[in-house]
Amino acid sequence: MTLADQPPAAALVFQTLLAHGPLTRAEVGRRTGLSPGAVTKVATPLLADGWIAELGRPAVERSSGRPATLIAVRPERARFAGVKVTGDELIGVLADLTAQPLATARAPLGSRDVGTVVLAIARLVAALRAEAGAEQDGAVHSVGVTISGDVDGQTGTVQFSPFLDWRRVPLAQLVETATGTPTVIENDVRALTVAEQWFGAGVGLSSFALVTVGAGIGCGISIGGRVVSGAHGVSGEVGHLPVGGSERVCTCGNTGCVEAVASSHAITEQARQAAGEPALTIDDAVRLAHGGDPAVRAVFARAGHALGLALASVANLIGPERIIISGEGASSYDLYEDQIRQTFAAHAFGAAADCDLVVRPLPFEEWARGGAAVAAQRLFAPVK
Amino acid sequence: MTLADQPPAAALVFQTLLAHGPLTRAEVGRRTGLSPGAVTKVATPLLADGWIAELGRPAVERSSGRPATLIAVRPERARFAGVKVTGDELIGVLADLTAQPLATARAPLGSRDVGTVVLAIARLVAALRAEAGAEQDGAVHSVGVTISGDVDGQTGTVQFSPFLDWRRVPLAQLVETATGTPTVIENDVRALTVAEQWFGAGVGLSSFALVTVGAGIGCGISIGGRVVSGAHGVSGEVGHLPVGGSERVCTCGNTGCVEAVASSHAITEQARQAAGEPALTIDDAVRLAHGGDPAVRAVFARAGHALGLALASVANLIGPERIIISGEGASSYDLYEDQIRQTFAAHAFGAAADCDLVVRPLPFEEWARGGAAVAAQRLFAPVK
């Protein structure tokens, strides 16, 4: 049996157990809208094949007096390797079926050449297997590789990755050949959104957006338990929302983009100009701002204003329950938080301002875990 | 039997037949992902209770030689009244189960007082019943009233309608009492989006947005067959995306909103200033622009630029397959089409620019039909 052969209701039951932990069949029925009979019917083959298990201890007594048995996902039933590719480093995690990390590892990238990166991914996956004592074949169900840019998860092709300067790279197939393990790929922000939806700050929400601020500014959108992928592969491009002024030109060639004033590169450039120090780094800029330098603080405030407009745009269009703010930029969030919240409150329309803004530092290991979550998700939605 | 008691798969089968017309059971299975057995199981009670019917004529012969019977929704099984409320007029339609109009009517509003409007709605519904020969009790299943503003369809309350200056009006209950017929209410743009999704330019699309340009600028978003409602009741507020300059103040108090330069009111104000004629109407502005007046043409171009930025924001965030542009403003679309398309193409990020822009004039009778569609939709998702 493979999970992909199961009916849609089985995926619903399985994902509900993944997100919520052990539940009684009645509780699964309540959360999925399935009848008790339907829950039992789809749970039976999942139990038989070891994807879920009945827990030994009975739950609280029901009014009828019969104890209700809890059912739960068996985390050890399958393992997944997740790898996040950055411009100069790989970050890997080996995780169980509930995306709990069993081992983590990092590896520097000597070059951004496709062959070099694919080989480095294969070595990292082998190291993760070894560390977790999972060297034998089949012990890792699949690999999920995440990467920033325009990634077509259906065909396994990186259409365009600006940071690696890759175009039309059939990465899934290359990694599959190098590792001998089925591989899926996904845009890194969307993968992190899947992980947040299943296991993080998005659990149980009808909708949320995850905005990542760093070298680029990305966004994953989850509505009704599904991450929005965009009909043409593009979605969540908050970095290119046209909210800004006309002074700075974005990497995309336009003026007015959020990224043109709020990416770490844009902040560094503006801070260099403000401080009159052409060799200033982003860390220097953060230090100067924390030290009270008014010109550099103004650079962060301006970035905060653009981000606040971007978050208000997301809230006005989608009306999410929550917006999670993360990425490398979240570590210096104190420098623009006031401005973000003030601008957001001013431009969110009516009740859209009730959207909860949450800052959540998510280290790159969490992004790698997103790769494992995407691989696990494909158990039910195999690549066509 | 009520449809609300049926399992979720029944809603899926029924809505697939509503959107696509007569299909074989096998074709329904292919489109819904349900097994042939599941389709037959949920179709049986729908057939027994007259919601769907087998068509007499067999479809094309299958390879096995046995003819496959077509099943289809029975349009006459239920009737719905849809009413669109504007600031000075009611537009009503009586429609069958497939939202095909059986009768239409309009009624002027003497006042925007809640009691007056409710009474006028009840009279309009009675006139529609009479016109369609459906006077007896039960001949109209339910009424769907649509209205611009913050409308909570779940509780049946108009939270805020700027055009009518209503706050917290329990409209569904008031209309239900006045008509003696179950009533649902919905935001007018969302209702029109439901109608487009089921019966219009959104049929069969994985996602689309409907942007309406007129007295206000609204947007309905459909993703995966569901209209996005927003966790706090707000969504699709493209009119308040902060894309503009700082010269004009919006009705919401901010600067930079799309509505501040592109609503019909904003265009009229700017055209008055440009032409130096303080009594100019929107029709005068359109006439002057068509006549070649450069200052008034520039007002429309500026509105087109703001609309292009708004459409690019929708495309960058959601990545819809199509954006449908409608509303009263669509009738003078030629005056800003070039600018809309040019700005959209410049600011849509990467493949998001592949989104199809379609202009579709939808008279107010279509908006009223949206109310009938929302009422029909509640057959399967009753108000809690």
Side-chain angles (χ1 to χ4, degrees):
Chain A
M1 184 197 98
T2 72
L3 286 181
D5 300 332
Q6 296 297 305
L12 201 59
V13 167
F14 192 70
Q15 291 179 358
T16 301
L17 290 171
L18 269 180
H20 297 282
L23 297 171
T24 63
R25 287 178 175 80
E27 182 64 14
V28 171
R30 204 185 60 76
R31 288 179 184 265
T32 57
L34 294 170
S35 69
V39 173
T40 297
K41 190 176 162 192
V42 302
T44 302
L46 296 176
L47 280 162
D49 205 44
W51 292 97
I52 62 176
E54 292 190 334
L55 298 193
R57 61 193 168 79
V60 283
E61 298 278 310
R62 292 186 301 182
S63 54
S64 73
R66 276 184 56 200
T69 313
L70 292 171
I71 53 176
V73 166
R74 283 186 65 228
E76 66 276 23
R77 177 63 178 78
R79 288 165 169 168
F80 305 89
V83 179
K84 149 100 173 155
V85 183
T86 72
D88 48 16
E89 193 182 24
L90 300 178
I91 302 94
V93 62
L94 194 79
D96 67 19
L97 188 46
T98 61
Q100 287 308 307
L102 307 170
T104 62
R106 291 191 176 214
L109 283 178
S111 133
R112 295 175 185 183
D113 168 75
V114 174
T116 308
V117 173
V118 169
L119 197 62
I121 292 173
R123 283 194 186 130
L124 187 70
V125 171
L128 288 167
R129 281 180 203 263
E131 196 183 326
E135 289 96 339
Q136 73 276 29
D137 277 357
V140 172
H141 182 280
S142 52
V143 177
V145 179
T146 79
I147 195 165
S148 80
D150 182 356
V151 176
D152 184 340
Q154 287 299 315
T155 64
T157 307
V158 176
Q159 298 292 358
F160 178 44
S161 171
F163 289 97
L164 296 168
D165 197 21
W166 286 3
R167 282 177 196 276
R168 285 177 294 282
V169 173
L171 185 64
Q173 199 192 317
L174 294 170
V175 172
E176 196 158 316
T177 304
T179 59
T181 306
T183 298
V184 297
I185 67 173
E186 183 53 283
N187 167 277
D188 58 352
V189 178
R190 283 212 284 266
L192 186 60
T193 307
V194 169
E196 286 292 280
Q197 177 181 286
W198 281 15
F199 311 109
V203 170
L205 301 183
S206 59
S207 59
F208 72 93
L210 168 70
V211 173
T212 60
V213 183
I217 296 173
C219 174
I221 296 167
S222 169
I223 299 178
R226 292 173 66 178
V227 176
V228 175
S229 60
H232 306 282
V234 172
S235 67
E237 285 292 350
V238 293
H240 301 284
L241 288 179
V243 301
S246 56
E247 307 88 54
R248 290 182 54 82
V249 177
C250 185
T251 49
C252 76
N254 278 315
T255 56
C257 292
V258 178
E259 262 187 38
V261 290
S263 73
S264 51
H265 177 72
I267 288 176
T268 307
E269 272 196 359
Q270 294 170 94
R272 283 175 180 169
Q273 215 165 2
E277 294 182 30
L280 202 85
T281 65
I282 182 74
D283 293 338
D284 297 333
V286 168
R287 201 162 39 244
L288 283 173
H290 278 149
D293 183 308
V296 178
R297 288 188 75 86
V299 168
F300 279 94
R302 188 178 175 192
H305 179 64
L307 288 169
L309 291 176
L311 301 189
S313 298
V314 171
N316 290 353
L317 276 184
I318 309 301
E321 262 189 271
R322 175 178 290 170
I323 298 178
I324 305 162
I325 301 158
S326 192
E328 308 97 282
S331 62
S332 42
Y333 187 67
D334 59 301
L335 291 172
Y336 34 52
E337 174 169 13
D338 285 353
Q339 192 61 57
I340 289 178
R341 290 192 183 270
Q342 194 179 316
T343 303
F344 177 79
H347 286 270
F349 187 71
D354 295 345
C355 171
D356 184 24
L357 299 188
V358 172
V359 183
R360 200 165 132 80
L362 294 164
F364 276 142
E365 277 71 15
E366 288 292 320
W367 292 62
R369 196 175 164 226
V374 168
Q377 194 182 40
R378 292 293 175 86
L379 281 172
F380 279 99
V383 180
K384 278 146 202 154
Chain B
M1 186 195 99
T2 73
L3 286 179
D5 300 331
Q6 296 297 306
L12 201 58
V13 167
F14 191 71
Q15 291 179 357
T16 301
L17 290 171
L18 267 182
H20 297 283
L23 297 171
T24 64
R25 287 179 175 79
E27 182 64 12
V28 170
R30 204 185 61 75
R31 290 179 184 263
T32 56
L34 294 169
S35 68
V39 172
T40 297
K41 190 177 163 194
V42 301
T44 302
L46 296 177
L47 280 161
D49 204 43
W51 292 97
I52 62 176
E54 293 190 334
L55 297 193
R57 61 196 169 79
V60 284
E61 297 281 308
R62 291 186 303 185
S63 54
S64 72
R66 275 185 57 201
T69 312
L70 293 170
I71 52 176
V73 165
R74 284 185 65 226
E76 66 276 24
R77 178 64 177 79
R79 288 167 170 168
F80 305 88
V83 178
K84 148 99 172 155
V85 184
T86 72
D88 48 16
E89 193 182 23
L90 299 178
I91 302 94
V93 62
L94 193 79
D96 67 19
L97 190 45
T98 62
Q100 287 308 308
L102 307 171
T104 62
R106 292 191 175 213
L109 282 179
S111 135
R112 294 174 185 182
D113 168 74
V114 173
T116 307
V117 173
V118 168
L119 196 62
I121 292 173
R123 283 192 186 133
L124 187 71
V125 171
L128 288 167
R129 280 181 204 260
E131 196 183 327
E135 289 96 339
Q136 74 275 29
D137 277 357
V140 173
H141 183 279
S142 52
V143 177
V145 179
T146 79
I147 195 163
S148 79
D150 181 356
V151 176
D152 184 340
Q154 286 300 315
T155 63
T157 307
V158 177
Q159 298 290 357
F160 178 44
S161 170
F163 289 96
L164 295 169
D165 196 23
W166 286 3
R167 282 177 196 275
R168 283 177 295 285
V169 174
L171 185 64
Q173 200 193 316
L174 293 171
V175 173
E176 196 159 317
T177 304
T179 59
T181 307
T183 299
V184 297
I185 66 173
E186 182 53 284
N187 168 277
D188 57 352
V189 178
R190 285 212 285 268
L192 186 60
T193 307
V194 168
E196 286 292 280
Q197 176 181 287
W198 280 16
F199 311 108
V203 170
L205 301 183
S206 60
S207 58
F208 72 93
L210 167 69
V211 173
T212 59
V213 184
I217 295 173
C219 175
I221 296 167
S222 167
I223 300 178
R226 290 172 68 175
V227 176
V228 175
S229 60
H232 305 284
V234 172
S235 69
E237 285 293 348
V238 295
H240 301 284
L241 289 178
V243 302
S246 55
E247 307 88 53
R248 288 183 54 82
V249 177
C250 184
T251 48
C252 75
N254 279 313
T255 57
C257 292
V258 177
E259 264 187 34
V261 290
S263 72
S264 50
H265 177 72
I267 288 177
T268 307
E269 273 195 359
Q270 293 171 93
R272 284 176 179 171
Q273 214 164 2
E277 293 182 31
L280 203 84
T281 65
I282 183 74
D283 293 337
D284 297 333
V286 168
R287 200 164 38 243
L288 283 172
H290 277 150
D293 184 308
V296 178
R297 288 188 76 86
V299 168
F300 279 95
R302 187 177 176 195
H305 179 64
L307 287 169
L309 292 176
L311 301 188
S313 298
V314 171
N316 290 353
L317 276 184
I318 311 299
E321 262 189 89
R322 174 176 293 170
I323 298 178
I324 305 162
I325 301 158
S326 193
E328 306 97 281
S331 62
S332 41
Y333 187 68
D334 59 301
L335 291 172
Y336 34 52
E337 172 167 14
D338 286 353
Q339 192 61 58
I340 289 178
R341 290 193 182 270
Q342 195 180 315
T343 303
F344 177 80
H347 286 270
F349 187 71
D354 295 346
C355 171
D356 184 24
L357 300 189
V358 172
V359 183
R360 199 165 134 79
L362 294 164
F364 277 141
E365 277 71 16
E366 288 294 318
W367 293 62
R369 197 175 162 226
V374 167
Q377 194 181 41
R378 293 291 175 85
L379 282 173
F380 280 98
V383 180
K384 278 148 200 150

